[in-house]
Amino acid sequence: MIGDTLAHIRATVREIAERCGRNPETIKIVAISKHVSAATMQMAQECGQIIFGESYLQEAEPKIKQLPHALQWHFIGHLQSNKAAVAAELFQVIETIDRLKIAQALHRHAGCLGKTLDVLIQVNVGREPQKSGVLQEDAEQLLREMQQLTSLHVCGLMTIPPYGEEPEASRPYFRALNQLAGQLAEKKLFYDNETVELSMGMSGDFAVAIEEGATLIRIGTAIFGERMQKTSQLIST
Ligand SMILES: *Cc1c(COP(=O)(O)O)cnc(C)c1O
């Protein structure tokens, strides 16, 4: 039952937060629903899940239109500029900003729609050539260039660490993201520099991410089970 699974994950999040002296209310679960049917998502929603994350626009669009409007949608995939209009319309949060061009496109389209988009900067902390995201040393410049894009609220940072068998392997990357967020907040580069969002941690390593300051944990497999796209990755929780 998805309700039991969600309850279990929420209890785990609470436990870890309390153990490391954090307020559990500051940690939100983003249910990653790529390749999950709208019917299954509806069950999760009925069990109190409000935030969903999707990687593919084409797949997300019909589900977003079908499911209740009160849900909050995060885009977590790679975004192309020519898809910015659709993304700006469908999502409340874009977690994967990694270049000025996409930020400008989103700003323009959000402006036309009369809405403000919350965005996160994706940082390639692991410096993996195959991964999206700005390098740590380039984040400040991107944030500075984005200051004039008033239809975007830059709420924080997001990262996907290099894949590791052990959750502990992610810790240095999460810690580095948190440190970078601190430095950028000191320079007042976020929309709210007192509460900066850190999107980090997935099914296999969210406990470590919470210990390192995550405010958004992106959980797919642990909620919905293994899906067909899983090939190289086996999660043990
Ligand atoms: C699929 C995905 C997740 C969820 O991963 P699980 O291991 O299934 O929890 C989180 N973040 C991103 C960016 C993803 O693409």
Side-chain angles (χ1 to χ4, degrees):
M1 250 298 283
I2 208 159
D4 297 331
T5 311
L6 277 168
H8 178 72
I9 295 170
R10 288 187 195 120
T12 308
V13 167
R14 185 165 286 275
E15 212 174 279
I16 298 160
E18 280 163 0
R19 185 171 11 98
C20 59
R22 295 189 55 197
N23 175 2
E25 307 296 322
T26 61
I27 301 151
K28 284 163 284 184
I29 298 169
V30 182
I32 303 302
S33 45
K34 59 178 182 234
H35 308 313
V36 173
S37 71
T40 303
M41 292 172 69
Q42 176 135 14
M43 288 195 282
Q45 179 256 318
E46 282 161 9
C47 299
Q49 183 62 37
I50 293 171
I51 313 177
F52 291 90
E54 290 278 344
S55 304
Y56 308 101
L57 282 180
Q58 268 196 340
E59 186 200 321
E61 186 166 11
K63 294 198 282 188
I64 294 175
K65 292 189 167 154
Q66 196 176 335
L67 285 156
H69 287 301
L71 301 180
Q72 194 189 93
W73 297 90
H74 288 219
F75 187 74
I76 59 158
H78 182 70
L79 192 55
Q80 280 149 358
S81 301
N82 62 353
K83 303 282 173 57
V86 187
E89 192 187 336
L90 292 173
F91 290 84
Q92 283 80 46
V93 184
I94 309 287
E95 295 204 7
T96 48
I97 303 292
D98 63 356
R99 58 203 190 279
L100 185 62
K101 192 169 169 230
I102 194 69
Q104 286 168 328
L106 285 168
H107 160 75
R108 204 166 52 243
H109 291 295
C112 293
L113 293 163
K115 82 188 248 192
T116 348
L117 275 176
D118 286 346
V119 300
L120 305 179
I121 307 299
Q122 181 176 359
V123 185
N124 186 356
V125 184
R127 312 182 84 83
E128 294 173 280
Q130 78 279 14
K131 269 201 184 128
S132 308
V134 288
L135 296 175
Q136 286 179 76
E137 61 270 29
D138 298 331
E140 178 173 341
Q141 195 194 339
L142 177 58
L143 276 172
R144 288 198 186 280
E145 288 168 338
M146 286 177 67
Q147 294 300 305
Q148 63 208 32
L149 307 179
T150 48
S151 295
L152 306 183
H153 288 169
V154 186
C155 298
L157 306 179
M158 176 270 207
T159 198
I160 310 168
Y163 175 71
E165 293 288 333
E166 297 295 328
E168 275 302 323
S170 302
R171 191 182 297 279
Y173 303 101
F174 295 156
R175 189 164 292 181
L177 193 75
N178 194 344
Q179 275 167 2
L180 178 63
Q183 289 159 11
L184 298 169
E186 243 167 61
K187 295 178 178 167
K188 306 278 181 254
L189 291 170
F190 292 110
Y191 176 66
D192 176 356
N193 294 285
E194 304 303 316
T195 28
V196 176
E197 302 283 355
L198 284 177
S199 174
M200 55 191 200
M202 318 201 293
S203 292
D205 56 13
F206 71 86
V208 174
I210 292 170
E211 288 167 3
E212 296 299 332
T215 65
L216 294 162
I217 50 175
R218 307 182 307 268
I219 304 190
T221 312
I223 297 175
F224 299 111
E226 288 287 335
R227 286 148 290 167
M228 25 197 206
Q229 93 284 7
K230 291 280 174 188
T231 46
S232 62
Q233 221 167 307
L234 273 174
I235 312 295
S236 55
T237 40

